[in-house]
Amino acid sequence: MNNQGIIITLNKIIKFLVIFLSLSIFLFALGFFLWRNYFASEKIFFTADYPLEIMSGEEITIKLNYDNQTKRTLYEAEIVLELPENSFDNDWSPLKIIRIPLGDIEEGEKGEKEVSLRILGKNQENKNILTYLSWKASGFKVPFKKEKIINITFSQPIVSLDLLTPKKILPQIPFNLEIAFQNNLDKEIYGLELKINLPEEYEILNSQPEIDNFQKIFLKKLSSKEKRKITLRGIIKGEIYQIYPFSTEIGLNRGEFISLEKKEGEIPLGPSPLSIDISLENEDDNAIFHLGDEISYIISYQNRAETALSDVIVRAHLDTEETKLLDFSSLSTDGYFDLKTKTITWNAGNHPSLKVLKPNQKDEVRFQIKLKDNFP
């Protein structure tokens, strides 16, 4: 290669370096200019004033403040709030995102916007709201933004709910379910709905107050701090040693049901508290009887529960194939006998000890009856 060729190549390299350095300086200057005028966080202020702890479902207000201390205009500015799950406006319409257009924010301009909303959450749960101030710079299509995380902790719900159930229930023994709820706000709540879910085996005997539909109970108004209670009394007609679920839920009826709180419980069904045994008086199980003989029966029972049983009823059903040999006209007993159903019933009216049967207390009832003189 001659000297002229070497000189041309060096000139090209020098020109490339000059262009590269000039472009780098321009880009650096442009970046510094944008950072100084649009990106510098110390020049654009965005803050949020909000409650740190709230009741689940209460109306809250968030104040959002912005202040443009740059030397340029922030174009097409807006405040955006990205909300957590189960967020609503004040009329309980669902919300996912809130946008507040601000237009152009001029140099030195400041302002404040308020947002009112409701959020549902569990006790001591934390939820975050991501909010940011967004704007565009002159000549740029992509927006810039400054973020703020709003962290909120939940305490009790606006309507608290409680379900009181016994630890254990016994077959055919009535027990109480108690559902209590309270308005925790300082103002009325309208349009509440209470749901009670009961197992199929549960039979309601009565309630206080009287209720027609237990699945949906509409509450027109619950006054400030008002407490209410519903008591159900019923029995379980199911298999022993099974666990039966109960639940209740309170919420708002706004076309769709919005749950405010739910409580669940399970109750095991234990064995019968009464042990019962039938024997023959002064006879063993292999005794032989003849036509016309009188047979004396003893029905022994004992309360095996840890609590007293009241108004105990003992029944002997004699309508079987074997009892067709009995002469019911000869029946002798202090119980009540129903000839149609061939059933003897003892209760507190004819056997006073059945009024209250204390824990581990034993007792018995008796009846005598003859065999028929002739078998058909």
Side-chain angles (χ1 to χ4, degrees), residues 213-310:
N213 184 359
F214 292 93
Q215 293 181 338
K216 290 184 179 181
I217 302 171
F218 295 99
L219 307 168
K220 185 176 181 181
K221 182 182 78 169
L222 199 60
S223 300
S224 168
K225 304 297 182 180
E226 181 182 356
K227 299 179 182 179
R228 291 193 195 178
K229 181 174 68 174
I230 295 175
T231 301
L232 307 182
R233 187 165 180 80
I235 59 175
I236 285 285
K237 294 182 176 179
E239 298 182 9
I240 62 173
Y241 304 115
Q242 295 295 315
I243 296 177
Y244 295 90
F246 294 80
S247 67
T248 183
E249 188 172 15
I250 196 165
L252 293 157
N253 190 328
R254 296 293 187 270
E256 293 184 0
F257 181 77
I258 302 173
S259 177
L260 296 176
E261 189 168 27
K262 183 177 182 179
K263 288 296 177 69
E264 298 176 332
E266 293 182 335
I267 310 177
L269 180 62
S272 172
L274 283 174
S275 64
I276 194 164
D277 183 60
I278 301 176
S279 61
L280 300 174
E281 185 177 8
N282 300 322
E283 301 287 350
D284 59 39
D285 292 339
N286 297 319
I288 298 175
F289 295 94
H290 301 90
L291 296 176
D293 286 350
E294 184 177 73
I295 306 174
S296 295
Y297 290 92
I298 301 174
I299 301 176
S300 304
Y301 50 90
Q302 180 182 7
N303 178 12
R304 298 182 301 181
E306 298 176 357
T307 58
L309 302 177
S310 59

Side-chain angles (χ1 to χ4, degrees), residues 115-127:
V115 175
S116 295
L117 70 156
R118 303 175 187 269
I119 310 175
L120 297 178
K122 298 179 181 178
N123 186 29
Q124 297 306 309
E125 181 182 6
N126 293 306
K127 285 190 175 183

Side-chain angles (χ1 to χ4, degrees), residues 19 24 31-32 52 57 115 120 143-144 150 158 174 182 191 205 211 215 221 234 247 250 276 305 324 332 363:
I19 294 172
S24 298
F32 179 77
L52 297 177
V115 175
L120 297 178
F144 309 108
I150 297 174
I158 57 175
Q182 177 182 350
L205 301 178
I211 298 172
Q215 293 181 338
K221 182 182 78 169
S247 67
I250 196 165
I276 194 164
K324 289 182 178 181
S332 175
D363 205 344

Side-chain angles (χ1 to χ4, degrees), residues 299 301 311-318 331 333-339 341-351 354 365-367:
I299 301 176
Y301 50 90
D311 297 316
V312 178
I313 297 174
V314 178
R315 290 191 177 95
H317 299 279
L318 306 180
L331 178 66
T333 179
D334 59 357
Y336 168 75
F337 179 62
D338 185 340
L339 181 60
T341 61
K342 296 182 173 57
T343 301
I344 307 173
T345 301
W346 291 269
N347 53 35
N350 50 43
H351 201 78
L354 292 173
V365 292
R366 299 167 177 257
F367 69 94

